Amino acid sequence: MVLDFAAAYDQLNPDDDDYRFYAALADELGVTRVIDLGCGTGTLTRLLASRGRAAVGIDPDPDMIRVARQRSGGEHVDWRLGFSDCADTGSADFAVMSGHVAQVFRDDDAWSRTLRDLHRALLPNGTLTFESRNPGAHAWEQWTRQATLRTLDTVEGPVEFWHETAWVSLPLVAYDTFTRNPRTGEQAANRDILAFRDVPVLVDSLETAGFSVSHQYGDWQRTPLSPGSREIILVAHRRS
Ligand SMILES: C[S@@+](CC[C@H](N)C(=O)[O-])C[C@H]1O[C@@H](n2cnc3c(N)ncnc32)[C@H](O)[C@@H]1O
């Protein structure tokens, strides 16, 4: 059994509070050229482009980019298969990483390089915004079969899908994603490792890369960040 994860991604992530938060921010700031790094299937990228903005969606996963291109509205986006280094210098006034992309950079050098690339890609005073799960909220404790089990409709019929935390060694957390065909009993697992950086580390990394943090929120309703907030949502501006 092979689950086409990219095709199933939107079914697995139906909530759009995050996309609405970032789209409202872009509207308020009046930005005209955006970069969506780690755009995945491109739901946010297409939303940002739908208001007549120039939008670049970058992702290293060819399956994600394939699905993004096929979605309605995808023709208005400049999709790029690659990493942050393929963002053009001085090309944007708004850069975003949604869907906890910031946590895929588990090694600090890769994270710093990514921030430097986005600094280079942004115009002076351009905005960088992203979210990262707050280590203080211990999200990994909820990643059990019981709490995360869902059944997806796929071309091969229903497929069960769930997460289980494998190990925690902060700031790193490893978790397995399981898929199982209930008809055949066939099962597969894939391991990912995420970085749970805390607020001081994230703010320091942004300052070092040449950004100033203007806002810190704890949820998509713009509640101020507190130690137990689920999310760390940061809005930063390129200093010069
Ligand atoms: C959970 S998805 C989020 C997708 C999208 N931003 C969203 O909000 O739905 C994480 C994405 O990060 C991408 N990714 C993984 N490593 C990356 C890297 N080094 N640079 C940029 N994106 C990366 C993955 O391919 C995947 O599409």
Side-chain angles (χ1 to χ4, degrees):
M1 170 195 50
V2 180
L3 174 67
D4 184 344
F5 179 73
Y9 183 85
D10 295 348
Q11 214 186 124
L12 286 165
N13 295 279
D15 297 338
D16 62 358
D17 285 2
D18 49 351
Y19 300 148
R20 281 193 273 127
F21 171 94
Y22 290 123
L25 183 64
D27 285 349
E28 285 162 28
L29 292 167
V31 301
T32 58
R33 290 185 278 169
V34 308
I35 293 172
D36 184 1
L37 179 63
C39 61
T41 55
T43 306
L44 175 60
T45 335
R46 284 178 283 109
L47 183 60
L48 292 169
S50 70
R51 322 259 171 122
R53 299 186 182 98
V56 177
I58 303 172
D59 201 286
D61 183 334
D63 291 329
M64 289 294 204
I65 290 288
R66 171 181 53 81
V67 171
R69 276 187 210 283
Q70 288 165 355
R71 296 272 194 264
S72 157
E75 65 278 12
H76 301 302
V77 175
D78 175 357
W79 302 109
R80 298 188 184 182
L81 180 63
F83 298 91
S84 53
D85 59 355
C86 69
D88 296 330
T89 300
S91 61
D93 49 11
F94 187 84
V96 60
M97 289 181 277
S98 68
H100 304 106
V101 168
Q103 294 187 253
V104 307
F105 304 97
R106 50 192 192 231
D107 127 27
D108 286 341
D109 287 344
W111 174 236
S112 302
R113 224 174 17 252
T114 300
L115 293 180
R116 281 200 304 274
D117 281 338
L118 292 174
H119 183 272
R120 177 184 52 73
L122 282 167
L123 293 160
N125 207 36
T127 301
L128 170 60
T129 182
F130 62 87
E131 86 282 359
S132 191
R133 295 181 191 85
N134 182 6
H138 298 193
W140 56 85
E141 290 174 1
Q142 310 303 316
W143 297 344
T144 63
R145 183 173 197 280
Q146 197 185 11
T148 62
L149 180 65
R150 274 170 290 177
T151 301
L152 301 176
D153 295 321
T154 76
V155 283
E156 296 182 40
V159 172
E160 291 174 350
F161 179 99
W162 71 96
H163 300 298
E164 285 179 26
T165 299
W167 50 259
V168 179
S169 176
L170 291 176
L172 301 182
V173 174
Y175 71 99
D176 295 321
T177 299
F178 292 91
T179 49
R180 180 177 174 276
N181 184 327
R183 192 172 46 82
T184 62
E186 198 185 347
Q187 186 167 310
N190 181 55
R191 180 158 295 182
D192 281 305
I193 301 177
L194 295 176
F196 280 71
R197 295 183 174 88
D198 61 19
V199 180
V201 168
L202 288 170
V203 170
D204 184 60
S205 62
L206 282 162
E207 294 282 342
T208 303
F211 293 96
S212 296
V213 176
S214 60
H215 296 90
Q216 306 180 5
Y217 301 114
D219 61 31
W220 302 114
Q221 286 66 50
R222 305 192 184 192
T223 306
L225 188 60
S226 69
S229 298
R230 282 166 61 101
E231 303 286 351
I232 300 169
I233 304 167
L234 299 179
V235 183
H237 301 280
R238 185 189 143 135
R239 274 202 300 271
S240 58

